[in-house]
Amino acid sequence: MKVSYQWLAEYVDLSETNPHELAEKLTRSGVEVDAVESRNAGVSGVVIGYVKERSKHPDADRLNVCVVDAGQGEDLQIVCGAPNVDKGQKVLVALIGAKLPGGLNIKRSKLRGVESQGMICSAKELGLNDKLLAKDQQEGIMVLPEDAEIGMDAISYLGLDDYVLELGLTPNRSDCLSMLGVAYEVAAILGKEVLQPQIELNENGGDNPLQVKIEATNESYQYNGRHFTNAKIASSPQWMKNRLMAAGIRPINNVVDVTNYVLFEYGQPLHAFDAAQVDNRSIIVRLAGEGEKLVTLDDQERTLDAETLLIADPTKGLAIAGVMGGANSEITGETTEIILEAAWFTPQTVRRTARSLGMRTEGCVRWEKGVDQTRVEEAGERAASLIQQLSGATVSKGIAKAIVKEATPAVVSVTLQKINQHLGTSMVDSDVSPIFDRLKFQYEVANDTWTVTVPTRRGDITLPEDLVEEVARLYGYDNIPTSLPTGSTTQGQLTLEQQLRRIIRHHLIGAGLNEAISYALVHPDRVEDVSGLHKEAVKPISLLMPMSEEHSVLRTSLIPSLLQTIAYNKNRQNHDIAIFELGRVFLTAEEALTQLPDERLYVAGALTGQWLPPNWMGAKQPVDFYQAKGVVESLLARLGIQAAEYKATADLAGMHPGRTAEVWVGEQRLGYLGQVHPGTEKDYDLSETYVFQLDVAQLITVAADAGHYNPLPKFPAVTRDLALVVDRSLPAGDLEKTIRDAAGELLESLTLFDVYTGDRISSEKKSMAFALVFRHAERTLQDEEIQQVTTAVIEALKNNNGAELRM
């Protein structure tokens, strides 16, 4: 919200402050002022002049020699190159010694041999924003109305001696989206009175011919219509233009400018129709038909739905309520008969329509945040008086009204004890009551309790705590004493999930993977490219209003996002990639959501290309299944998870049926790892890629104390190697389980260090070599003990797995 300091001064006495002091006081009271800007961009020495004569320059076709009366006692000769300069115009004249934006100083000069005693200026040369100027003032020099006073300081005439306070309002303070709303706030801070705008309306016409009907009673509670005839559409006076431009609005004509002026003055959006285009002078507030079309004031054809609130006559739509008027009833230069709308629409209706149509106007902003219904009629009458004043219109008698529901003020109570308890103060009645008086809140006091009837302009006050906040703001935050917290304190700490998330992230980064953060929204065709961890049937969750189809469905697996990231990098010549993501997926079995989806935290990784790039020795190591499995194993070990089993599976969507395994601990399935199916790799244009995906909630249930450490061993270890010949189809995990069970507590570690298949072994067999490390924590092991355990292991392998020692 941009607030003109001079405009604000019409409602509150600001003689004892200045713009910067006021900005500081507003900020300290809770209404933050983001900036205080002068409207003067560095202009001085510019006055209003009158072009008495204009003639062509004798030596330049594009230059004119003008004789200008600038109120200096003597006429000035000024050479001007603007094509629109002409005799009889009121113009802006920069005198000798004047300063213009950009460091330009005006000096006496000669142009092609002709002396020039100043400069006739355009709006741009004075630093005015041409986007906020009327169309006839955007090109060439700025031509002023005939009532401009010759010799008057242009700074004052154009309102450039003003300051603009830009408020950074929070969503609850919609009351400050108007000059009067800000005036109430400033008056409360300064202890001043608010001066209301003067409404002088002469109903000098016949009876109001308008008929108003509200059919959409759930979307509109009130509609007022004023009727005017004999209006003359013209440019607005300069004082109104100055204020609109200070607020960031481009002046258009006197009638439209009045509606915008009152919009900023009262915070009440208004709209003016050309009454000649309204059939039977009848206004109907209804919902649009499905697919009904309307061309709006921006010349765009809008297709409406059945939830769009429409202002219509008996035959056609006229405006989208609260959003934008229709081109078919626009105020033009030929308009003489006017209908002025002052209405109240529900915020949710306007918000939905504005978003569905992708439209955002100053009126929409105010409707969405809340408009004071009790001031609808007052704002309409203020606009009617200004229209009559500026256009000379005849005003018909009476207001055409339709009221479905009237606003009722909220009544909120607060006790002195509650105020002091919340603020840590020791206030008494005489401290609190004056604050409510300054806020213009009506109240009754009994037994240290204030029962406040909240003005409808302050829709943000509904709870006792809101009243406590108002007291705190105006009492002064600096006056509230500082106090330390009391009571027992507890040491902060991370939850188990937070600890594990941090450990997982740090471990995977340490293992050489880079963390990726991708959108939780994916393309609907990608949502099930690779299976998630869910066994139950899930339905993709689509957004109602996605920004694009690429991000329209909530993901059920992290893998597709990682594959897209790899594809993006590969297309930019980055082929060796190892990434992971720790993020949430969204699962539901419902076609249409009736409850929130199940959000589950997954960790997933993807590896492709070379794990170790080629070096001068020629060694290189491409990513394979065992590389991905090693990352998962090291992560599980870091989390203290023992005895994980890897079971081959061939029924996971998007995964290679012969190179994929599920990760189990006992009866719990933690996730899976393996190669992406060649078909899926082709869809993403990837080379051989390996992935893993684990459910963090499952990891938490089986993780041991991640902070546990074992002391360094005091006694030596003993190593035994066993080379076993087994069936080619036998998993290594079965052998490991047998060895661990048979070896018992003396077995410290077990490592598979060789797998051999070849000519020296039957084609149905393979050789697998394990390194067994034995150690006792409290003594040195004897050879007899080692031999006894080794023999038991070999016997168990023979009986359980059909293994034979390889000689």
Side-chain angles (χ1 to χ4, degrees):
M1 174 69 181
K2 294 183 177 181
V3 177
S4 162
Y5 187 79
Q6 288 186 354
W7 191 359
L8 182 63
E10 288 204 357
Y11 311 110
V12 185
D13 179 9
L14 302 179
S15 59
E16 298 176 4
T17 185
N18 62 55
H20 296 282
E21 290 177 354
L22 180 61
E24 177 68 17
K25 291 177 180 179
L26 279 168
T27 300
R28 285 181 176 274
S29 70
V31 178
E32 183 177 2
V33 179
D34 290 337
V36 180
E37 297 179 355
S38 172
R39 292 199 65 211
N40 190 339
V43 179
S44 65
V46 180
V47 298
I48 297 173
Y50 174 73
V51 181
K52 299 174 68 174
E53 299 290 342
R54 183 199 69 125
S55 60
K56 285 291 184 181
H57 191 289
D59 294 325
D61 294 338
R62 296 186 179 181
L63 297 179
N64 300 286
V65 180
C66 302
V67 178
V68 180
D69 177 7
Q72 304 302 302
E74 295 181 1
D75 291 344
L76 305 177
Q77 178 177 280
I78 299 177
V79 178
C80 179
N84 65 324
V85 66
D86 204 356
K87 177 181 177 180
Q89 292 175 336
K90 297 284 183 70
V91 294
L92 298 169
V93 179
L95 304 173
I96 300 300
K99 295 182 179 181
L100 299 180
L104 179 62
N105 296 324
I106 303 302
K107 301 178 182 179
R108 189 183 301 272
S109 62
K110 284 188 177 182
L111 297 175
R112 293 289 185 95
V114 177
E115 184 180 21
S116 182
Q117 300 171 317
M119 175 181 175
I120 300 177
C121 302
S122 68
K124 289 182 181 178
E125 288 165 334
L126 266 64
L128 295 178
N129 185 349
D130 59 342
K131 293 181 180 179
L132 300 179
L133 294 171
K135 291 183 179 180
D136 60 348
Q137 295 180 330
Q138 292 180 357
E139 299 294 336
I141 62 168
M142 187 174 184
V143 180
L144 305 178
E146 293 183 2
D147 60 359
E149 181 182 344
I150 296 174
M152 181 180 180
D153 184 6
I155 304 303
S156 175
Y157 179 78
L158 296 174
L160 299 183
D161 53 351
D162 190 11
Y163 285 84
V164 174
L165 283 66
E166 187 165 350
L167 307 185
L169 297 175
T170 51
N172 63 311
R173 291 308 303 270
S174 62
D175 60 299
C176 288
L177 286 171
S178 67
M179 296 300 300
L180 280 172
V182 177
Y184 275 107
E185 184 71 16
V186 171
I189 295 170
L190 302 180
K192 304 287 186 178
E193 293 297 319
V194 177
L195 304 177
Q196 298 294 329
Q198 296 299 310
I199 299 175
E200 298 177 358
L201 187 63
N202 180 18
E203 295 183 326
N204 52 356
D207 292 337
N208 192 338
L210 299 182
Q211 296 179 0
V212 174
K213 181 181 180 182
I214 298 177
E215 293 182 354
T217 55
N218 292 326
E219 291 76 22
S220 177
Y221 293 168
Q222 182 172 347
Y223 195 97
N224 291 3
R226 267 288 186 186
H227 180 258
F228 307 81
T229 56
N230 304 319
K232 294 181 180 179
I233 306 302
S235 180
S236 296
Q238 191 64 40
W239 65 267
M240 179 171 283
K241 290 181 179 179
N242 293 343
R243 290 179 178 178
L244 290 177
M245 287 191 289
I249 297 296
R250 179 170 66 88
I252 298 175
N253 59 53
N254 50 2
V255 173
V256 175
D257 290 351
V258 164
T259 62
N260 286 327
Y261 184 87
V262 176
L263 166 69
F264 280 91
E265 187 174 46
Y266 279 84
Q268 170 65 48
L270 305 169
H271 188 70
F273 300 94
D274 186 335
Q277 310 303 321
V278 179
D279 289 354
N280 300 329
R281 307 301 186 269
S282 177
I283 297 290
I284 303 171
V285 184
R286 63 174 174 82
L287 294 175
E290 187 68 39
E292 186 172 352
K293 298 182 183 298
L294 178 68
V295 177
T296 48
L297 290 173
D298 56 0
D299 294 325
Q300 299 293 317
E301 185 178 67
R302 311 285 180 175
T303 301
L304 313 179
D305 59 28
E307 295 183 14
T308 301
L309 189 62
L310 198 65
I311 310 300
D313 63 19
T315 60
K316 62 183 178 299
L318 300 173
I320 302 173
V323 180
M324 188 176 287
N328 58 5
S329 57
E330 179 182 7
I331 300 295
T332 67
E334 288 72 39
T335 300
T336 60
E337 185 182 359
I338 299 168
I339 296 174
L340 177 65
E341 166 194 288
W344 197 88
F345 312 120
T346 59
Q348 56 270 30
T349 299
V350 178
R351 182 186 303 115
R352 185 204 165 276
T353 300
R355 290 185 178 181
S356 65
L357 296 176
M359 303 172 71
R360 186 89 171 160
T361 63
E362 289 288 348
C364 289
V365 171
R366 285 154 179 79
W367 282 122
E368 291 177 6
K369 297 181 183 297
V371 171
D372 183 2
Q373 187 182 350
T374 62
R375 306 198 81 170
V376 169
E377 184 169 325
E378 182 181 343
E381 294 298 271
R382 168 67 166 162
S385 69
L386 288 172
I387 289 175
Q388 185 177 44
Q389 173 188 334
L390 300 183
S391 71
T394 300
V395 183
S396 299
K397 295 177 181 177
I399 305 173
K401 295 183 183 180
I403 300 178
V404 175
K405 181 180 178 181
E406 295 186 349
T408 55
V411 177
V412 184
S413 297
V414 67
T415 64
L416 182 62
Q417 180 185 4
K418 187 177 187 68
I419 294 172
N420 286 325
Q421 182 180 1
H422 276 64
L423 303 181
T425 54
S426 300
M427 293 189 194
V428 295
D429 292 6
S430 58
D431 294 321
V432 177
S433 293
I435 291 176
F436 291 141
D437 291 333
R438 289 158 58 190
L439 288 166
K440 304 298 184 250
F441 289 2
Q442 296 181 2
Y443 61 89
E444 295 179 357
V445 186
N447 300 323
D448 288 339
T449 299
W450 284 264
T451 301
V452 178
T453 302
V454 183
T456 52
R457 59 184 169 83
R458 292 299 303 273
D460 59 310
I461 298 178
T462 58
L463 302 171
E465 287 75 12
D466 298 328
L467 292 177
V468 174
E469 181 183 5
E470 294 300 299
V471 172
R473 290 194 312 110
L474 295 187
Y475 182 71
Y477 293 124
D478 292 343
N479 296 324
I480 297 176
T482 302
S483 60
L484 294 174
T486 59
S488 60
T489 59
T490 58
Q491 181 180 0
Q493 63 180 8
L494 299 177
T495 65
L496 178 59
E497 179 181 325
Q498 290 171 331
Q499 294 179 45
L500 290 184
R501 287 172 62 179
R502 183 172 295 184
I503 291 170
I504 291 170
R505 180 176 285 111
H506 289 175
H507 179 82
L508 292 177
I509 291 173
L513 281 70
N514 293 311
E515 184 173 11
I517 300 176
S518 58
Y519 288 112
L521 299 166
V522 297
H523 193 287
D525 294 341
R526 295 298 188 192
V527 70
E528 286 294 348
D529 279 350
V530 180
S531 177
L533 300 181
H534 40 275
K535 286 295 186 180
E536 66 277 12
V538 297
K539 303 292 184 183
I541 303 169
S542 300
L543 297 190
L544 291 177
M545 296 174 61
M547 291 187 295
S548 68
E549 190 178 15
E550 290 295 321
H551 305 292
S552 60
V553 176
L554 287 170
R555 64 188 177 189
T556 59
S557 171
L558 300 181
I559 301 298
S561 298
L562 294 180
L563 296 183
Q564 284 184 312
T565 301
I566 291 179
Y568 180 89
N569 280 269
K570 182 176 178 292
N571 292 336
R572 286 152 181 80
Q573 307 305 312
N574 185 14
H575 298 282
D576 303 330
I577 304 168
I579 57 177
F580 77 94
E581 180 169 7
L582 188 63
R584 296 192 181 277
V585 298
F586 306 85
L587 311 177
T588 184
E590 297 181 306
E591 290 284 355
L593 285 181
T594 60
Q595 56 186 2
L596 292 176
D598 182 14
E599 294 187 33
R600 299 187 188 177
L601 183 65
Y602 286 179
V603 58
L607 300 84
T608 190
Q610 300 292 325
W611 182 256
L612 295 179
N615 55 42
W616 65 274
M617 297 182 66
K620 60 181 181 180
Q621 184 178 350
V623 170
D624 59 15
F625 174 87
Y626 298 102
Q627 205 73 55
K629 181 171 178 283
V631 172
V632 173
E633 286 181 324
S634 68
L635 176 60
L636 298 183
R638 178 66 183 85
L639 297 176
I641 299 174
Q642 303 294 333
E645 296 184 71
Y646 299 86
K647 300 179 181 180
T649 181
D651 60 354
L652 293 179
M655 299 297 294
H656 194 299
R659 299 182 182 178
T660 303
E662 292 181 332
V663 185
W664 291 78
V665 172
E667 299 299 321
Q668 288 183 270
R669 177 176 177 266
L670 304 183
Y672 65 81
L673 65 101
Q675 182 185 343
V676 178
H677 194 285
T680 306
E681 291 174 342
K682 184 177 180 181
D683 289 343
Y684 283 87
D685 192 23
L686 302 178
S687 55
E688 199 169 285
T689 301
Y690 293 85
V691 299
F692 64 85
Q693 187 163 220
L694 304 171
D695 188 332
V696 174
Q698 296 294 334
L699 292 177
I700 291 174
T701 62
V702 296
D705 182 0
H708 176 73
Y709 296 90
N710 291 320
L712 291 173
K714 296 180 180 180
F715 299 95
V718 178
T719 302
R720 292 289 185 269
D721 293 342
L722 295 179
L724 305 171
V725 178
V726 296
D727 291 340
R728 198 157 188 165
S729 61
L730 184 67
D734 291 358
L735 296 175
E736 287 186 1
K737 185 176 185 306
T738 299
I739 293 171
R740 291 185 185 280
D741 290 344
E745 296 180 354
L746 293 181
L747 183 65
E748 182 179 79
S749 66
L750 174 64
T751 305
L752 174 65
F753 66 86
D754 181 58
V755 178
Y756 173 75
T757 57
D759 298 338
R760 300 180 182 179
I761 298 179
S762 167
S763 60
E764 298 179 353
K765 300 287 185 177
K766 63 182 176 181
S767 171
M768 305 183 75
F770 292 89
L772 287 69
V773 178
F774 299 98
R775 191 194 307 268
H776 197 286
E778 298 178 354
R779 60 183 174 83
T780 301
L781 293 174
Q782 303 295 319
D783 287 341
E784 294 79 7
E785 292 179 281
I786 302 302
Q787 185 60 41
Q788 183 179 355
V789 173
T790 303
T791 300
V793 168
I794 294 172
E795 191 66 24
L797 289 169
K798 181 178 180 180
N799 295 333
N800 297 341
N801 307 106
E804 297 178 358
L805 282 178
R806 183 183 174 194
M807 300 302 182

